Amino acid sequence: MAVMDEFKEERDKIKHGTFKEKWKYFWDYYKWHVIGTAFVLVVAVWMIHDIVTQKESALYVELLNCATVYDDSEYLSGVEEYLGIEDGQALTVEAGLDVTDDTEDYTAFEVLAIRIAAKEMDVMVAEEETISGYAGEDTLIDLTTVMTEEQLEHYSDYFYYVDYALIESGYYENEDLSYEDMIFDGTAGHVSPEDMEQPVAVGVYINTTAEPGDYVCTTAEFNSNYYYSGEAIFSIMFYSEHTDAALQFLDYICGYAS
């Protein structure tokens, strides 16, 4: 029987067949088209829903190498109230990414790189070794250009400085440069700008474990939710559009909220 005759016979059978026969024919011949179309539709709906329902970021804080309690929602509610977070806005405080040299999971480094590339993160809090690396890449803002006079009075004695002359000279571009080399060269651990050619205050030392005196200390409420084993530095990313909120957050965690 000719192919066209077979096709005509099959079509006539389907035309006069039962619903079950018609459905079987349709599914046998078109199921992958249906599955593919459904998949594309689900993805499209998900993307549209995500875009429509996504809140505007009011502040995004990354607490690197930080231990945290399971539920910090009560503390964050206080932060949101102080910052004046409105409906449709979002405060994000992420903790737990481990980007120390001891970590064996390099996914954290990739996640952090993506957040920076997407200009998602406003505030970075981490130990000096981590902050110094990003300061050397010129990714942190000069805090003296955004702080109020009152904030400068509170924090200027605890600034973490980087020498911008070293950035311009390409000092930090050396791939073999380690944090130990920086300590040996005297380019790490700066709380004093006197020995720098172009000092820039890119961070504020905070400490969640020591008694008040040596450094600006965070409040007991902050310490009960987030924990650093030693000195940590608060910094703001150079691309941030929420510097006022970032500095308000600093005031809140250090007990200067009014």
Side-chain angles (χ1 to χ4, degrees):
M1 183 184 293
V3 174
M4 290 301 298
D5 292 337
E6 290 182 359
F7 176 77
K8 184 177 183 299
E9 182 179 333
E10 187 70 19
R11 186 180 62 182
D12 289 339
K13 285 170 59 179
I14 297 301
K15 182 177 179 181
H16 301 289
T18 64
F19 174 80
K20 184 177 180 180
E21 290 173 334
K22 292 179 179 180
W23 171 254
K24 184 178 183 304
Y25 176 84
F26 173 80
W27 188 247
D28 286 344
Y29 282 90
Y30 297 104
K31 62 181 177 181
W32 294 114
H33 295 81
V34 172
I35 292 173
T37 302
F39 176 77
V40 172
L41 181 61
V42 168
V43 172
V45 170
W46 176 79
M47 291 180 65
I48 293 172
H49 176 270
D50 188 59
I51 293 172
V52 171
T53 59
Q54 187 177 30
K55 294 183 177 181
E56 176 189 359
S57 177
L59 184 66
Y60 194 116
V61 178
E62 190 72 58
L63 305 174
L64 298 173
N65 315 324
C66 175
T68 182
V69 298
Y70 177 72
D71 184 7
D72 57 357
S73 57
E74 184 176 348
Y75 181 78
L76 292 180
S77 293
V79 178
E80 289 178 342
E81 183 178 355
Y82 177 68
L83 296 182
I85 302 296
E86 301 176 350
D87 292 339
Q89 294 182 318
L91 165 68
T92 304
V93 178
E94 292 284 354
L97 278 185
D98 182 4
V99 293
T100 61
D101 290 338
D102 296 331
T103 183
E104 297 180 357
D105 182 8
Y106 290 95
T107 303
F109 290 93
E110 296 173 355
V111 170
L112 183 60
I114 290 172
R115 288 176 180 170
I116 293 175
K119 298 182 178 180
E120 182 179 25
M121 179 175 57
D122 296 294
V123 172
M124 178 189 293
V125 179
E127 297 91 340
E128 184 180 293
E129 182 172 356
T130 300
I131 294 295
S132 67
Y134 288 97
E137 295 177 7
D138 198 16
T139 60
L140 307 179
I141 198 170
D142 180 355
L143 295 177
T144 65
T145 65
V146 293
M147 281 186 170
T148 65
E149 291 185 7
E150 185 177 12
Q151 288 168 334
L152 288 172
E153 183 178 349
H154 287 157
Y155 303 115
S156 60
D157 290 339
Y158 311 102
F159 279 152
Y160 171 78
Y161 292 91
V162 64
D163 192 341
Y164 199 78
L166 292 178
I167 296 176
E168 291 183 322
S169 71
Y171 171 81
Y172 294 99
E173 297 176 8
N174 182 359
E175 295 182 356
D176 296 325
L177 181 68
S178 67
Y179 185 65
E180 288 73 20
D181 293 331
M182 294 173 60
I183 294 176
F184 181 80
D185 293 343
T187 57
H190 285 292
V191 293
S192 176
E194 283 79 5
D195 56 346
M196 294 184 178
E197 185 177 342
Q198 297 181 47
V200 178
V202 296
V204 172
Y205 279 97
I206 60 175
N207 191 311
T208 62
T209 56
E211 293 297 324
D214 293 337
Y215 296 101
V216 173
C217 280
T218 47
T219 64
E221 290 76 16
F222 179 87
N223 297 347
S224 63
N225 286 274
Y226 311 100
Y227 174 78
Y228 282 97
S229 59
E231 293 84 13
I233 297 173
F234 176 101
S235 60
I236 301 176
M237 308 307 294
F238 78 97
Y239 54 73
S240 174
E241 297 180 354
H242 308 115
T243 54
D244 288 344
L247 292 173
Q248 282 184 287
F249 180 78
L250 176 63
D251 286 342
Y252 190 90
I253 68 175
C254 290
Y256 292 120
S258 58

